[in-house]
Amino acid sequence: MSSPFILSPELTAEAAKLIPYTAFIGLQCGESNGHPLFALPYKRENIGNIFLPALHGGMLGGFIESCAVLFLYRQAGLAELPKMIDLSLDYLRSGKPETTYARCALTRQGSRIANVAVEAWQSDPAKPIVVARCHFQMPAAQ
Amino acid sequence: MSSPFILSPELTAEAAKLIPYTAFIGLQCGESNGHPLFALPYKRENIGNIFLPALHGGMLGGFIESCAVLFLYRQAGLAELPKMIDLSLDYLRSGKPETTYARCALTRQGSRIANVAVEAWQSDPAKPIVVARCHFQMPAAQ
């Protein structure tokens, strides 16, 4: 694991308060080399394909969307959560039964619309398992 | 609710066996007027935005993806689950804290790739909250 993940219990607790779903799936907020990083430890409930076995793609989508929302909320210093307009996910590799990490990038931030790109990987950051892009509608009053 | 949902405990149990994640989120399989229909009863853990409040978009994405996989698996009589290649979600309305329904359509079924369209709604089937399309790689041996 070449990106050491440093867990932030405070940010993780804040995420659970803002987005109860993040506590449900076990999403962790933290950082790596000063950049926000998210982690999703493995749980058996997250298996989507028992034949491979592989993590559930929609589950990974939920994790990724949560990361993008939290990233934008904090990066842009918002007072409320932005609304998602659309989400596109490309599944590049099967998610193994192990911890998944995700990092986000703010591709574009306007006053009304923001675009966030997300990459998720497991043991090797150079081998993403899912890449995604999301559009958000920014809250009206900043 | 103009589409009466008739729950199938057998299909729901089969889904939970194939995709443990479906049991985790509480996905129900059933039918309406002879066509497969899926339901996701409301749970507080599924809230993604406490300000609205609204269901979590990624959670809905996970529900929708599961519906598409199960639909294709049964419709095409597959022996194992198809692999998802990509998933695009358009969020049209906020998901209220109530039961969500989803119906699927097989847009294209080839020997290697299948395309499934999904519509999800809550109280009114004419007012979808999310529409999605997914590409799947079909299992090699049929």
Side-chain angles (χ1 to χ4, degrees):
Chain A
M1 168 69 195
S2 59
S3 308
F5 174 71
I6 301 162
L7 175 71
S8 164
E10 297 75 24
L11 289 181
T12 302
E14 186 202 47
K17 220 169 148 190
L18 285 167
I19 309 180
Y21 174 77
T22 63
F24 182 50
I25 62 172
L27 182 151
Q28 298 179 336
C29 301
E31 57 141 306
S32 177
N33 303 321
H35 295 286
L37 188 67
F38 301 88
L40 186 72
Y42 170 68
K43 288 200 291 187
R44 197 192 165 268
E45 296 93 321
N46 294 353
I47 286 292
N49 188 328
I50 52 165
F51 299 102
L52 298 174
L55 293 180
H56 188 276
M59 176 73 198
L60 288 172
F63 167 59
I64 283 169
E65 196 214 287
S66 302
C67 298
V69 171
L70 290 167
F71 177 80
L72 179 59
Y73 174 79
R74 289 167 187 160
Q75 205 76 3
L78 303 180
E80 58 181 288
L81 295 176
K83 281 191 204 170
M84 178 160 288
I85 297 170
D86 61 35
L87 170 66
S88 292
L89 299 154
D90 287 320
Y91 295 96
L92 308 179
R93 292 175 176 86
S94 289
K96 293 185 191 129
E98 53 190 66
T99 299
T100 307
Y101 299 90
R103 69 181 149 217
C104 303
L106 193 51
T107 319
R108 174 175 180 263
Q109 186 191 336
S111 56
R112 311 179 103 188
I113 304 286
N115 188 309
V116 177
V118 188
E119 261 190 23
W121 72 90
Q122 293 187 319
S123 52
D124 184 353
K127 291 188 177 164
I129 60 166
V130 188
V131 290
R133 55 187 188 79
C134 338
H135 285 100
F136 290 97
Q137 181 184 329
M138 301 292 268
Q142 298 300 319
Chain B
M1 169 70 196
S2 58
S3 306
F5 175 71
I6 301 164
L7 175 70
S8 164
E10 296 76 26
L11 289 181
T12 303
E14 187 202 46
K17 220 169 148 189
L18 286 167
I19 309 179
Y21 174 76
T22 64
F24 182 50
I25 63 171
L27 182 150
Q28 298 180 336
C29 301
E31 57 140 306
S32 177
N33 303 322
H35 295 286
L37 188 66
F38 301 89
L40 187 73
Y42 170 68
K43 289 200 291 188
R44 194 189 168 273
E45 296 94 322
N46 294 352
I47 286 292
N49 188 327
I50 52 166
F51 298 102
L52 298 176
L55 293 179
H56 189 277
M59 176 73 197
L60 288 172
F63 167 57
I64 283 169
E65 196 214 287
S66 303
C67 298
V69 171
L70 290 167
F71 177 80
L72 179 59
Y73 174 78
R74 289 169 187 161
Q75 206 76 3
L78 303 179
E80 59 180 287
L81 293 177
K83 281 191 202 168
M84 178 160 289
I85 297 170
D86 61 36
L87 170 66
S88 291
L89 298 154
D90 286 320
Y91 295 96
L92 308 179
R93 292 175 176 87
S94 289
K96 294 186 191 128
E98 54 190 67
T99 299
T100 307
Y101 299 90
R103 69 181 150 217
C104 303
L106 193 51
T107 319
R108 176 176 179 263
Q109 187 192 333
S111 57
R112 310 180 101 187
I113 303 287
N115 187 308
V116 177
V118 189
E119 260 190 24
W121 72 89
Q122 293 187 319
S123 52
D124 184 353
K127 291 187 176 163
I129 59 166
V130 188
V131 290
R133 55 186 188 78
C134 338
H135 285 99
F136 290 98
Q137 182 185 328
M138 302 292 269
Q142 298 301 318

